[in-house]
Amino acid sequence: MARYAMVIDLHKCVGCGACDITCKNENNVDRGIFWAHHFTRTTGVFPNVKYEHVPTMCNHCNNAACVKACPTKAMYKDDKRLTLHDPKKCIGCKSCMQACPYDVISFNSKEPHGFWRDANSVIPDGTASGKETAEKLGQKIPYYNPERATTYAGIRPKGIVEKCTFCDHRLAKGEEPYCVFSCPAGARTAGDLDNPTGQVNLLLAKYGHKQLKPHVGTEPKVYYIRYY
Amino acid sequence: MEWHAPWDIRIAMDLFLGGLGVGVFLIAVLLNVYDKERNSKLSVMGSYLAPLLVGGGVLFLLSELGRPERFLSTLYNFNPQSVTSWGGLFQIGFMVIALIYAWQNFKGKTNGSTFRTLQGLGVLFAILVGVYHGLLLASLGRPLWAGGMIIALFLGSSLFGGMSLLVILRELGISIGVPAQVRSEAAAASSDKEFNFTMLFFTISAVELVLVLGWQFALYRSSADTLAAVNSMMESYGGLWIGIVIIAGLLIPLLGSLLTLVKDKSSEMSKGMALTLSALVLVGSFAFKHIVIMAGQGALPLIF
Amino acid sequence: MKMTRRGFLQATAATGLLVTVGTGVPALKALAEGENTAPIEGKWLSTTCQGCTSWCAARAYVVDGRVIKVSGNPNSKSNNGKVCPRSHIAIQQMYDPDRVKVPMKRTNPKKGRNEDPKFVPISWEEAIDTITDKMMELRNNHEPEKYVLMRGRYSYLRDIIYDATTKVFGSPNGISHSAICAEAEKFGPYFTEAFWDYRDYDLDKTRYALLWGADPIASNRQVPHAINIWGKVLDQATVVAIDPRLSATAAKANEWMPVIPGEDGALATAIAHVILTEGLWNKEFVGDFNDGINLFKEGETVSEESFTENYSYGVVKWWNLELKDRTPEWAAEKAGVPAEQIIRVARGFANAAPNAISWLSPGACMQVRGGYSAMAAHALNGLVGAADNVGGTLRGAKVPSGSIPSYDDYLDEIAKKGKKNKKIDQRGYKEFPALKEGKSGGGVVTNNLADAMLNKDPYEVKMAIAYWNNFAFSCSGTQRWEKALEELPFFVHITTNPAEMTQYADIVLPAAMHMFEKWAFVKSKANKVAYASIQQRMVEPLWDVRIDESEVPWLIAESLAKKGFPNLFNYFKTEFKDPETGKAPTNSMEFTIYSTKMMTQNMWDPSKEKKGDSLNGWQDFVDKGVWNSAEYPYRKKWEDFGTKTKKFEFYSETLKKALEGHAEKHNTDVNDIMQTTKYLARGEMAFIPHYEEPFRWGDSSEFPFVFFEHRSRLNREARSANTLWYQEFKDVDPGDEAWDDVAKINPADAGKIGIKSGDTIKITSPIGSITCTAKLWEGVRPGTVGKCFGQGHWAYGKIAALDYGKRTPRGGNNNEILPADYERLSGSTARHGGVTRVKIEKA
Ligand code: SF4
Ligand code: SF4
Ligand code: SF4
């Protein structure tokens, strides 16, 4: 079976955040929760200043700390070596969040998407409200993506954690993860590590790579190549 | 982005109450074994208290779960790699044993082999639960919690807390649910081979203080991640840590008990001192667990 | 991983079942939580994103009457099928909970920032009826010129409302927003190579990119193309970012030149100086000394006869008048950038020539004295032969779109007379030459409209309709706009959101959102290709909205006809026909669609000759979404740039003619015009690119910091601040923070005034104060403070404003501290170059 990995080319990445935004869009992710995110770093002193932007996401670690920590096997490795989460098994103990060295798992402490249940209008009868907008469309979020629900909870309910699934629902249809598809810089490449001639292995062979916190032993499968 | 700790105070409550519970259980058993006659009143009350405390802790834990109704699934979806899974098992196991044990105590059936077996099993599970607390944290790989010392620290703190709770009961002369025959036995006991609480008190506080300081010292000398974690802990909780955990919770009890022992090796602390120091220990133990749990959850810097 | 969709779903269903049984969760509960997992087929439909001035051909994924995703249009040859992060935010813009959903009227006659307008919903009939009553009143009083149409962002159906409606009604006053956008930028290429427009850039083949305040991977034009090709650009070219801020592009550039705001002209002239003294100019384009010996020596004049130029004009004059003294050492002092860096950049740029780009952006020229910086920066393209050349700056192919039919026959006497009045914005006044394409008063002076209205000069304005704009937020010196709108007797705002400007409206008309709810088209260019791109109504709007540029004028025309003035309606009904069926429109939507079809017919009609894609008719155009031109040919203009001398002018005879024309009109000389327009140049200096000391408001003892502002990579022209994604990811702008509005201060400066990151601070300029959060950041030059434009809304919605009801802004709007000043030769608002100094205090 496949062994999926992501290569992020920091030389091509312009730090635009399209991956962050479109991941939310694709996966119906609530405000305050981030499956795809980034960290930035400014170093040096004027005028010799360096700024870096590094996109982050679940590393789908080969040796996933979250999977080990989960007391109910809700967090698991699938046959493509993705780290996936079963919302029906999750008891919301947050052990996985503590265990993940990359802080990429989030907990739904509230009923999600309350923004779209807010009935307040800034001008009564003149402007809409979140609730009215969502209700008119018959959805919990106006731009709810039903395709997400084919392999995971379309919207993760209160009380459980959630995280990047490597867009397994898109992979299942032969499509790339949405952040890869949407990156305007072409900085992200998803593919199978077991395919020696695939793009992922070609890039890794050509440029070498870095991983986040390789020393913690999780064997992360998001590889960063070149420099921002 | 504002960062919220995934675990709030309820996890500290679980680990604190659970720790007190197993601490009380272990000390009560110790008393029972050491001098069945003289200490049976305390050991009986300890046997009641232990499951209550651990159960209370579990309630806090449950309320902290996003899906408490699925708690039992940790048993049938058991993940052998997960310390949390084992923890569920241990806590449930302990509760069952401790409740039966308490019932036996209540009925005064404290002599048979069933009692001894229960006692043995109880000790085993109490230790497992006590070890689990630290092991859980250690297993999660966060820098502040890493390493084996955290296990000893939590276990030590639990024993110390449990011990202090029993001292308080003793000093206040509380007697609830103690079978009548036990009460009279206790009254009749002579005073020459009395269990020395102060000595134990002193020993545990000394060991725990050494452990805590050693732990902190070790943290300061380890990798950048860990150093950052301990620095951020001291930044956010430095005052509480030194004031409550180290001074009030360990140093003062150590000195107080030492003072008593210096005067007379076999004497006990005065009532006032025993109550005060024990209360301090309880506060210190809670503060210790709370601070370590909260600070350990600090956001992790991402590095290549 | 090749699993059929069907097989996959079966597998999922099976696991789902096991899980349900396994966890012992009651089946009912599982059902309640379960969601519709049936595969839903969506459709990608073409549209155009107008989140910034890139105007990207895009697509949206429509499922079940809802837009759920956005992507680039793969048929576009300009953006490689990519869109930037802004585009996705358009979805939240359309589904903004604070959309105006019905027409409203004001019930509190008092106007002011702190007056609640007490808007109440009304019908479209009542709204239009009220508007046309006012319009008829003006006509009946023979003063139709007192009607003003204020245009903001637009599609190319704009001329229906902006031009035809206004003129047929009888007013000259279609006032566009162009001069708050970038007119000064066009000044540079126009007065060197007679091109009054934005340039295209041959990034694919460039070897050097010199960016004058430009931040192409974040803002400015052709952003997705720039993002997409930037890795390649960095591989093959040297990138230099000239910007007081470590911009997104500067962060990835080879060199950052953190220029002191407004001192761009010093750098540009010094770079030219180095290129000439070191003999690095492009001989093919500029020519050479007759004997091949370089006589350009620091401080020495050169005889004009000794040099023979090819495609350029006036290089020796430029040298003698200006460049001979513009040494890198001199510039280093002015601009705060080391001389070695200037020399290194000048050499690198010239050595890469002609595959080099000197990329001008508003930052380097929307300055009070920025016209000549614009010329100087653009002149570098001439010096190295990069103008219209491989890997250089390009013009752009033509998009053969049609224009609206002539309305001349529909102008009655009142209209003819009315429209002869001067335009209201004082363009062409002595102090506002606004020399668009060389014509005195040829361009708009948008921001001055507020003063003109307040001073009733040249006359009073009695009513205005504004659409797709928010001048009370987006124009510097907003206080004047608030005042002017307060005093305006009747104001109509066509808008998607209750914006700042809306608060002054008597009638509010809910507008269709451009990307998903409108029919229209736009034209733009990038990657050597010009294009026309469609916008279509792909989902039924949730609210009772109308299309601003076409439906609203139709409704107005219909109502005016009922009230005895049928000309406009007759014009619409007679001149606009469906080019496919010949049918006349019977309602506003047909009118909209027919107009779009008519104006794009040259592109989609296979029988029309054109250089570019061949499409198979209207539906094909709608489906593909974009028509691409053939690639722009290099060196197209070398033989005749269209300037007065036909050459690329370093000594601008074209500008000389324009300035003299303007002076003549006001019976004065060019020196007087220079003085009136705040320029220091006198004599011949007025006709060449040269250094001007920056003009700043405020005294340095009272206001120690130079303030500059910049753009956000998430700003949809200040219309996205009311969305979650904008706020959650605001930190993708280097130095900025999510959900906040920060002023970036160098830590060295902040230390001196005792300010820490996170402090709430008050920034005060000579015209006003705003409150925001301090952010200590090494990416800004000491002595300056930089802040992004876009936050600070006190209206617009419940996210943009911290408290809409109380008018509490989230952060502060830069335009409340930026004084209304101008680059007067172009009419452009001068918002950059450190136009004002400020002081900073803890709030
Ligand atoms: S979308 Fe691409 S370019 Fe933008 S931040 Fe993400 S990885 Fe970088
Ligand atoms: S990155 Fe974190 S969540 Fe993802 S597999 Fe690794 S440990 Fe698990
Ligand atoms: S792979 Fe999919 S789920 Fe993961 S970060 Fe990218 S878009 Fe989000």
Side-chain angles (χ1 to χ4, degrees), chain C residues 231-523:
Chain C
K232 180 169 190 257
V233 170
L234 290 170
D235 283 335
Q236 73 191 22
T238 304
V239 176
V240 178
I242 302 166
D243 201 315
R245 167 186 75 113
L246 189 74
S247 64
T249 311
K252 292 192 75 80
N254 301 78
E255 301 237 13
W256 175 37
M257 292 180 114
V259 64
I260 294 174
E263 298 282 1
D264 310 82
L267 288 180
T269 51
I271 289 171
H273 175 96
V274 174
I275 290 172
L276 290 185
T277 52
E278 301 199 356
L280 299 174
W281 69 88
N282 184 288
K283 312 278 175 341
E284 183 193 4
F285 188 77
V286 180
D288 203 352
F289 286 99
N290 300 336
D291 54 8
I293 297 168
N294 184 7
L295 300 179
F296 293 129
K297 301 234 163 58
E298 181 186 332
E300 291 177 22
T301 53
V302 168
S303 110
E304 286 182 42
E305 289 73 54
S306 60
F307 198 104
T308 308
E309 287 187 78
N310 291 344
Y311 300 101
S312 68
Y313 171 84
V315 70
V316 175
K317 279 196 177 115
W318 188 25
W319 170 263
N320 290 342
L321 286 166
E322 171 73 4
L323 297 182
K324 68 177 182 354
D325 304 318
R326 297 303 179 212
T327 64
E329 292 71 26
W330 165 85
E333 200 140 300
K334 294 279 175 196
V337 172
E340 312 81 73
Q341 193 181 22
I342 300 174
I343 297 168
R344 183 170 64 236
V345 166
R347 285 181 186 152
F349 178 69
N351 286 331
N355 316 123
I357 296 168
S358 174
W359 185 317
L360 192 53
S361 85
C365 49
M366 288 177 80
Q367 309 174 356
V368 176
R369 294 174 182 150
Y372 293 99
S373 318
M375 281 176 83
H378 190 71
L380 294 178
N381 290 314
L383 221 43
V384 300
D388 239 28
N389 208 347
V390 183
T393 77
L394 308 174
R395 295 196 177 192
K398 258 196 87 58
V399 176
S401 57
S403 42
I404 54 167
S406 164
Y407 47 73
D408 287 350
D409 295 347
Y410 299 85
L411 297 168
D412 66 5
E413 284 317 307
I414 300 176
K416 277 185 190 151
K417 200 167 144 269
K419 91 181 200 23
K420 273 210 196 92
N421 278 282
K422 278 190 183 162
K423 290 212 181 201
I424 183 71
D425 59 342
Q426 306 181 344
R427 67 184 74 180
Y429 276 31
K430 186 172 159 193
E431 66 272 32
F432 288 116
L435 301 172
K436 178 177 177 183
E437 297 183 347
K439 238 178 68 214
S440 166
V444 62
V445 195
T446 314
N447 202 7
N448 191 49
L449 177 57
D451 296 277
M453 283 164 62
L454 283 167
N455 299 328
K456 304 190 178 17
D457 173 9
Y459 44 81
E460 188 187 4
V461 173
K462 290 200 169 158
M463 82 171 279
I465 299 181
Y467 82 94
W468 209 349
N469 63 349
N470 192 11
F471 290 164
F473 182 86
S474 59
C475 287
S476 52
T478 48
Q479 296 87 345
R480 300 162 310 114
W481 277 99
E482 292 182 25
K483 193 105 220 324
L485 290 168
E486 256 172 65
E487 291 180 12
L488 178 62
F490 186 74
F491 178 52
V492 180
H493 199 205
I494 313 176
T495 184
T496 56
N497 282 65
E500 282 71 15
M501 211 173 179
T502 315
Q503 307 306 318
Y504 300 87
D506 296 276
I507 298 285
V508 182
L509 300 178
M513 195 272 179
H514 74 271
M515 202 165 159
F516 316 111
E517 297 176 344
K518 268 175 88 162
W519 278 101
F521 79 102
V522 304
K523 304 183 277 185

Side-chain angles (χ1 to χ4, degrees), chain B residues 189-268:
Chain B
S190 69
S191 64
D192 49 20
K193 49 180 255 204
E194 194 160 348
F195 183 89
N196 190 311
F197 281 89
T198 310
M199 186 52 116
L200 188 58
F201 200 92
F202 168 73
T203 317
I204 302 184
S205 58
V207 171
E208 184 72 5
L209 185 63
V210 170
L211 281 174
V212 170
L213 294 177
W215 174 70
Q216 215 180 339
F217 183 71
L219 289 183
Y220 276 120
R221 298 176 49 103
S222 46
S223 67
D225 275 16
T226 316
L227 192 63
V230 66
N231 280 335
S232 110
M233 174 180 104
M234 292 310 279
E235 204 171 287
S236 324
Y237 300 98
L240 279 180
W241 181 260
I242 292 172
I244 307 285
V245 177
I246 310 256
I247 299 185
L250 293 169
L251 202 58
I252 295 183
L254 176 81
L255 294 176
S257 52
L258 182 64
L259 212 69
T260 314
L261 292 175
V262 167
K263 276 191 228 143
D264 175 356
K265 226 173 77 159
S266 62
S267 76
E268 288 284 13

Side-chain angles (χ1 to χ4, degrees), chain C residues 535-604:
Chain C
Q535 285 173 333
Q536 57 173 317
R537 172 165 290 185
M538 56 181 68
V539 291
E540 258 329 292
L542 293 180
W543 318 116
D544 193 11
V545 298
R546 298 287 183 277
I547 298 174
D548 41 17
E549 293 172 317
S550 49
E551 285 195 278
V552 172
W554 172 275
L555 296 175
I556 288 177
E558 193 178 35
S559 170
L560 286 174
K562 281 189 202 135
K563 293 178 185 177
F565 176 61
N567 297 29
L568 186 60
F569 203 39
N570 287 343
Y571 165 66
F572 287 165
K573 285 192 302 187
T574 320
E575 304 292 337
F576 289 77
K577 297 245 157 63
D578 183 341
E580 287 181 311
T581 63
K583 272 206 258 165
T586 60
N587 60 44
S588 62
M589 197 41 119
E590 283 176 11
F591 174 61
T592 303
I593 295 173
Y594 297 171
S595 309
T596 314
K597 277 183 162 180
M598 278 170 75
M599 282 191 255
T600 54
Q601 186 177 6
N602 287 341
M603 270 87 71
W604 54 257

Side-chain angles (χ1 to χ4, degrees), chain C residues 150-201:
Chain C
M150 302 179 195
R151 179 185 97 191
R153 181 50 60 221
Y154 56 86
S155 80
Y156 282 92
L157 291 197
R158 65 187 186 189
D159 285 337
I160 296 170
I161 187 169
Y162 172 74
D163 186 22
T165 302
T166 313
K167 303 282 173 50
V168 172
F169 174 72
S171 170
N173 289 316
I175 303 293
S176 84
H177 79 295
S178 303
I180 60 167
C181 184
E183 291 304 275
E185 185 187 322
K186 299 174 184 167
F187 189 87
Y190 188 80
F191 290 109
T192 48
E193 57 160 303
F195 183 53
W196 190 273
D197 205 343
Y198 305 107
R199 280 77 52 223
D200 192 4
Y201 302 96

Side-chain angles (χ1 to χ4, degrees), chain A residues 6 23 27 35-36 57 164-167 177-179:
Chain A
M6 178 85 73
C23 173
N27 296 298
W35 292 11
M57 58 184 279
C164 154
T165 68
F166 213 84
C167 286
Y178 198 53
C179 55

Side-chain angles (χ1 to χ4, degrees), chain A residues 6 19 22-24 26-27 35-36 56-58 60 148 163-167 169 177-180 188:
Chain A
M6 178 85 73
C19 44
T22 55
C23 173
K24 286 204 157 198
E26 175 71 26
N27 296 298
W35 292 11
T56 54
M57 58 184 279
C58 167
H60 295 276
R148 175 62 276 189
K163 67 173 237 342
C164 154
T165 68
F166 213 84
C167 286
H169 62 298
Y178 198 53
C179 55
V180 174
R188 301 170 82 106

Side-chain angles (χ1 to χ4, degrees), chain B residues 93-157:
Chain B
F94 177 79
M95 284 296 293
V96 172
I97 295 162
L99 281 172
I100 302 175
Y101 180 70
W103 180 250
Q104 299 277 8
N105 268 304
F106 182 66
K107 286 283 162 203
K109 296 187 194 150
T110 55
N111 285 318
S113 65
T114 329
F115 185 75
R116 286 293 158 208
T117 315
L118 276 171
Q119 201 170 44
L121 276 175
V123 167
L124 176 68
F125 273 85
I127 293 176
L128 285 174
V129 171
V131 166
Y132 145 74
H133 288 164
L135 192 64
L136 166 68
L137 299 183
S139 74
L140 295 172
R142 299 189 87 82
L144 194 70
W145 300 340
M149 255 176 117
I150 200 91
I151 301 169
L153 277 174
F154 267 68
L155 190 59
S157 183

